């Protein structure tokens, strides 16, 4: 039996389509061993986040489901913390994912993953039409968040490439992109963060590669970084989206292990142990 798990999933508590229990049902149908919830922590400028009122309800519901399904699947209470927010008390949670979804030039919060049109407009309005300036700003935010966070997981490094399939908006091989991106990857390793390899943009049809992309994953491997595959699913049917092709990619880059949620913590597993179809 492969050890299948996903620690990045969203529910109706934030911007997911399905309830927590519907997500559990999907994970059970796929014979998952573990499932972690990571709804978006409250941020006033983020329409996708939980509110201050719903966060405690979210925690209570996931804790109740943990008990209800004990013995069938290991559930974990996680949290996706947006770096634009002051540090939240993470002690309520089993783990947290630290993510940058916004840049804020001139004090304006600009989402980098809302739509291609919105991103293009932010680049024009706030960065003088220079996409590399926005990318540099994004990675500055990522590095600053890694410096201060207590979260264990580095969320979707490279989210700013969501709408850049085929280098549609900028050249992701250009040093103006690769230099700050590599810095973020190096810092994640230096801080001993578990780096998620996130297939969220693949399930939505935007990308054919996970974040971080192939070149950054190769660097991560070279630096001895730790990785965990996640689907960042906002729908139950995307629970394990592109996990096997992502495992193939990691294996081809020389990774021998990936991390998983097991017995209440993150543990390394041999890459063969997690293939659904080895
Ligand atoms: Zn995110
Ligand atoms: Zn997410």
């Amino acid at each position: 039996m492969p050890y299948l798990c996903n620690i990045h999933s969203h529910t109706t508590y934030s911007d997911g389509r399905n309830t927590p229990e519907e997500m559990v049902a999907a994970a059970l149908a796929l014979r998952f061993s573990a499932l972690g919830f990571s709804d978006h922590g409250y941020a006033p400028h983020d329409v996708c986040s939980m509110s201050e009122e719903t966060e405690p309800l979210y925690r209570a519901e996931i804790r109740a489901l943990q008990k209800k399904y004990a013995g069938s699947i290991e559930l974990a209470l996680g949290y996706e913390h947006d770096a634009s927010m002051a540090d939240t008390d993470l002690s309520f949670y089993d783990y947290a994912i630290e993510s940058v979804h916004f840049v804020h030039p001139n004090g304006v919060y600009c989402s980098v993953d809302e739509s291609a049109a919105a991103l293009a407009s932010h680049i024009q309005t706030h960065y003088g039409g220079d996409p590399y300036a926005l990318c540099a700003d994004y990675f500055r935010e990522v590095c600053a968040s890694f410096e201060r966070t207590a979260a264990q997981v580095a969320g979707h490094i490279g989210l700013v490439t969501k709408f850049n399939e085929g280098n549609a908006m900028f050249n992701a091989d250009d040093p103006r992109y690769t230099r700050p991106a590599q810095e973020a990857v190096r810092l994640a390793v230096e801080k001993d963060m578990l780096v998620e390899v996130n297939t969220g943009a693949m399930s939505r049809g935007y990308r054919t590669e996970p974040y971080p992309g192939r070149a950054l994953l190769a660097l991560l491997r070279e630096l001895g970084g730790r990785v965990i595959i996640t689907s960042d699913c906002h729908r139950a049917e995307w629970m394990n989206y592109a996990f096997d092709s992502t495992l193939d990619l990691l294996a081809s880059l020389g990774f021998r292990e990936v991390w998983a949620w097991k017995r209440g913590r993150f543990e390394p597993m041999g890459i063969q142990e997690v293939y659904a179809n080895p």
Side-chain angles (χ1 to χ4, degrees):
M1 277 287 286
Y3 193 92
L4 298 171
C5 107
N6 174 40
I7 58 119
H8 194 154
S9 57
H10 294 279
T11 75
T12 44
Y13 277 99
S14 63
D15 57 345
R17 169 80 57 100
N18 297 98
T19 64
E21 198 150 20
E22 287 167 351
M23 298 300 269
V24 174
L28 283 170
L30 291 164
R31 313 185 79 159
F32 266 42
S33 302
L35 168 64
F37 294 94
S38 58
D39 271 312
H40 293 283
Y42 169 66
H45 47 274
D46 186 358
V47 291
C48 300
S49 76
M50 292 186 280
S51 67
E52 287 171 296
E53 291 72 37
T54 56
E55 280 193 14
L57 304 177
Y58 162 69
R59 296 197 289 262
E61 178 161 354
I62 305 305
R63 290 296 185 213
L65 290 173
Q66 266 179 328
K67 288 200 187 95
K68 180 172 174 183
Y69 288 94
S72 309
I73 184 167
E74 183 173 351
L75 300 179
L77 172 60
Y79 187 76
E80 186 172 12
H81 178 257
D82 185 86
S84 65
M85 287 298 288
D87 278 354
T88 315
D89 183 358
L90 299 179
S91 65
F92 292 117
Y93 299 95
D94 296 329
Y95 65 89
I97 300 170
E98 182 71 12
S99 296
V100 172
H101 303 100
F102 299 91
V103 286
H104 49 101
N106 315 313
V108 183
Y109 284 100
C110 301
S111 163
V112 300
D113 66 338
E114 183 190 335
S115 69
L119 189 63
S121 154
H122 300 324
I123 291 168
Q124 284 309 326
T125 310
H126 299 289
Y127 296 93
D130 178 5
Y132 300 103
L134 179 138
C135 292
D137 205 11
Y138 162 79
F139 284 114
R140 244 191 314 273
E141 292 290 334
V142 172
C143 287
S145 74
F146 291 173
E147 288 286 359
R148 67 172 179 259
T149 189
Q152 301 95 320
V153 183
H156 44 60
I157 298 176
L159 181 66
V160 78
T161 61
K162 180 170 178 178
F163 308 110
N164 199 45
E165 183 70 17
N167 288 333
M169 298 181 83
F170 55 88
N171 179 4
D173 297 318
D174 188 298
R176 287 172 291 173
Y177 177 81
T178 57
R179 236 183 271 123
Q182 288 167 0
E183 212 171 295
V185 165
R186 282 180 200 283
L187 187 60
V189 176
E190 197 184 304
K191 297 282 174 193
D192 197 28
M193 293 180 84
L194 185 53
V195 175
E196 69 161 348
V197 184
N198 177 314
T199 65
M202 300 172 77
S203 59
R204 292 174 162 104
Y206 292 121
R207 296 302 320 250
T208 54
E209 266 192 1
Y211 318 110
R214 179 184 297 263
L216 292 178
L217 287 173
L219 173 65
L220 200 56
R221 167 73 192 123
E222 195 186 308
L223 297 172
R226 301 181 296 129
V227 291
I228 185 165
I229 298 176
T230 70
S231 64
D232 196 352
C233 53
H234 288 67
R235 296 180 187 208
E237 67 258 37
W238 293 339
M239 183 63 64
N240 63 343
Y241 195 89
F243 275 18
D244 275 357
S245 66
T246 301
L247 279 163
D248 287 342
L249 172 62
L250 293 175
S252 76
L253 291 170
F255 284 92
R256 292 200 186 83
E257 60 184 31
V258 292
W259 288 62
W261 187 260
K262 196 175 182 184
R263 294 189 285 260
R265 61 194 186 123
F266 292 111
E267 286 196 7
M269 321 234 13
I271 211 162
Q272 291 301 330
E273 293 176 75
V274 294
Y275 270 106
N277 308 299

